[in-house]
Amino acid sequence: MQLIIAGKAHPADRAGQDLIRQWIDFIRHPVARRHVIFLSDYDMSLTEHLVQGSDVWVNTPRRPWEASGTSGMKVLVNGGINLSELDGWWAEAYTPEVGWAIGDGQEHGDDPAWDANEAEQLYNVLENEVVPEFYDRNEQGIPTKWLARMRASMSRLTPQYSAARTVREYTEQHYLPAAIAFHNRSTLGGTVGTNIVHWERALREKWSSLAFGELRISSNSDGHHFEIDVYLDGLDPNSVRVELYADGVNGESPVRQEMNRFDASKSSEPDWATYQVTVTAMRPVADFTPRIVPKHESVNVPLELDLIRWQR
């Protein structure tokens, strides 16, 4: 088994430079010298050779520092198999049939104990899964299980993780919607665009004066009922969205439940409105907080306007 290490540290990345020095010191040991080599000046030209000649592509970033993982994607079409941290593209692509993984898909910061845990995982996977599978040959000397994994990796992942998919999804999800939005705003002499400017100006002028009044909560076995008074200071209620928010748990997305406005506020003041919503009792009441965000059917919030008002 041969381990080929390549990498480059930014001139200001002292920790990365120290790590490379540790690699080189380790490789100089007589036991390691026959099996490990470090290739300096890592760049795209060197990568071109590495992705064509590697049986297994090992990538071990600390979550969440893997920017994407395009080097592992390049290995696919060359028949290499990935063994990587569950981060970047591999967190999406990995299944046991197409390669190997280490980590638990969670973030652990700079915890040395977790680094040691993942190092042990890596050694165990290499020793007990990767190497035995590579050398498990039939009568003709062919590693059938290895080839099956290689074919699964190439056939399932290569079409999905490619520049073609990148261009297609950017076009469908971003470029075309942006072009349509621009067209819609510029038609009729730019009427829609003018309305958006007036909407944003009104929000910015009034935003600091928006306030929450009394929050009333009642609960039963079916759910939690939230009701709150909101001071809008003369702002059009249709220009904002009052919602109940809770952070996501167990890897799930945050809860963003829109609250419904009463036709007539319980408050006697004209600039007040009352909002209500009922949510399931699966989460405790303390998890939820009302908040106000901008609302406009032609504006991407919060990308284009990131105002937000929390109930305190």
Side-chain angles (χ1 to χ4, degrees):
M1 179 176 174
Q2 291 181 314
L3 180 62
I4 301 173
I5 302 176
K8 181 182 291 184
H10 188 276
D13 183 4
R14 301 300 181 189
Q17 294 171 22
D18 290 341
L19 184 59
I20 290 175
R21 278 192 286 270
Q22 291 179 48
W23 290 348
I24 295 173
D25 290 342
F26 169 74
I27 292 169
R28 287 172 176 162
H29 293 178
V31 174
R33 190 173 299 162
R34 294 190 305 154
H35 300 281
V36 187
I37 187 172
F38 175 72
L39 302 180
S40 59
D41 296 326
Y42 183 74
D43 58 14
M44 291 184 67
S45 177
L46 177 58
T47 305
E48 182 179 359
H49 294 284
L50 291 176
V51 297
Q52 294 180 49
S54 300
D55 295 302
V56 182
W57 193 261
V58 182
N59 191 32
T60 58
R62 278 196 185 123
R63 272 187 67 103
W65 296 110
E66 175 57 85
S68 175
T70 52
S71 61
M73 300 178 200
K74 295 173 188 174
V75 172
L76 299 174
V77 73
N78 291 283
I81 304 175
N82 282 270
L83 190 177
S84 295
E85 177 79 29
L86 288 171
D87 192 13
W89 82 290
W90 197 234
E92 177 186 348
Y94 168 72
T95 62
E97 298 80 17
V98 299
W100 299 274
I102 60 173
D104 61 357
Q106 304 298 315
E107 298 173 18
H108 299 272
D110 298 340
D111 183 3
W114 185 254
D115 287 345
N117 181 291
E118 290 197 344
E120 189 63 27
Q121 288 183 42
L122 177 61
Y123 300 145
N124 285 333
V125 169
L126 286 171
E127 182 175 356
N128 299 315
E129 299 181 40
V130 177
V131 174
E133 186 170 298
F134 185 84
Y135 286 104
D136 182 14
R137 312 288 173 113
N138 62 15
E139 295 80 1
Q140 290 78 38
I142 298 174
T144 54
K145 292 182 179 178
W146 187 274
L147 290 178
R149 190 185 298 270
M150 181 191 299
R151 292 191 180 100
S153 172
M154 295 180 73
S155 61
R156 298 182 192 181
L157 302 184
T158 300
Q160 189 176 3
Y161 297 93
S162 64
R165 176 194 172 192
T166 302
V167 173
R168 182 178 65 252
E169 291 191 357
Y170 268 77
T171 301
E172 295 173 349
Q173 299 177 20
H174 303 285
Y175 300 148
L176 289 179
I180 293 171
F182 175 78
H183 174 75
N184 291 339
R185 295 182 188 188
S186 59
T187 56
L188 300 175
T191 301
V192 174
T194 301
N195 290 339
I196 291 174
V197 171
H198 293 325
W199 165 81
E200 179 177 346
R201 183 177 299 156
L203 282 179
R204 292 193 181 279
E205 289 177 354
K206 299 286 188 178
W207 200 258
S208 61
S209 61
L210 302 185
F212 289 94
E214 177 188 2
L215 175 62
R216 299 172 291 277
I217 305 172
S218 59
S219 301
N220 55 40
S221 58
D222 296 327
H224 308 301
H225 182 77
F226 291 80
E227 186 175 295
I228 191 166
D229 299 323
V230 179
Y231 179 66
L232 297 175
D233 193 19
L235 194 66
D236 181 359
N238 295 316
S239 65
V240 297
R241 166 186 166 111
V242 179
E243 62 185 21
L244 202 61
Y245 177 89
D247 287 329
V249 295
N250 301 323
E252 298 178 353
S253 299
V255 176
R256 294 184 57 191
Q257 183 65 51
E258 184 170 8
M259 304 184 75
N260 301 312
R261 178 170 52 92
F262 284 133
D263 290 336
S265 171
K266 289 187 176 182
S267 172
S268 60
E269 298 294 332
D271 289 336
W272 286 81
T274 302
Y275 292 80
Q276 66 173 355
V277 72
T278 300
V279 296
T280 64
M282 297 178 63
R283 301 275 299 270
V285 167
D287 285 1
F288 295 94
T289 305
R291 68 180 190 177
I292 308 170
V293 295
K295 180 181 180 180
H296 195 293
E297 62 179 7
S298 300
V299 176
N300 190 332
V301 176
L303 180 62
E304 295 182 88
L305 187 61
D306 59 355
L307 297 175
I308 188 168
R309 196 76 171 171
W310 293 93
Q311 185 260 347
R312 300 185 184 277

